[in-house]
Amino acid sequence: MKHLVSLAAALCVSGTLLSATAGQAQAPTGYYVAVPAAPVAKTSLVTRSTAWSRRGGAFVAAQAPERPQILCQLVADRVGGLSSFAVKGQAYDADQLAKCNAHVKPAPAQMVAR
């Protein structure tokens, strides 16, 4: 009987832990996943012919006709820079990400008058 009570208690604890884990947010998935460097109010955007939707703190899109580097540059420009970009689950390294962010145009308020 004592073992049965211990087993029941262990099952209750396991169930509680599993349900807490299942309730936690998972990383967004998509063919492309772009995480803005700063919070963005937009919930969706379009780059050329690619529709992006925000899931959590990232924008995701299905496979598109443009090369991944071009898509990275386009979405980075639309959201003001990226902290990460992934294609089919493979994250860009620091150099690739820097190339994407190098194409970000400054916001009008940041432009310097000459």
Side-chain angles (χ1 to χ4, degrees), residues 81-100:
L82 300 175
S83 63
S84 71
F85 187 78
V87 180
K88 294 192 296 186
Q90 294 292 95
Y92 270 27
D93 64 27
D95 290 337
Q96 291 171 306
L97 194 58
K99 288 178 185 174
C100 290

Side-chain angles (χ1 to χ4, degrees), residues 21-50:
T21 303
Q24 293 175 351
Q26 294 184 3
T29 58
Y31 193 88
Y32 304 105
V33 178
V35 179
V40 177
K42 298 176 184 180
T43 59
S44 64
L45 58 95
V46 176
T47 56
R48 291 189 183 163
S49 62
T50 306

Side-chain angles (χ1 to χ4, degrees), residues 13-27:
V13 170
S14 296
T16 302
L17 291 175
L18 287 175
S19 65
T21 303
Q24 293 175 351
Q26 294 184 3

Side-chain angles (χ1 to χ4, degrees), residues 36 39-46 52-56 58-59 75 77-80:
V40 177
K42 298 176 184 180
T43 59
S44 64
L45 58 95
V46 176
W52 297 81
S53 60
R54 192 173 74 196
R55 292 190 197 150
F59 284 92
V75 74
D77 189 48
R78 294 294 298 273
V79 301

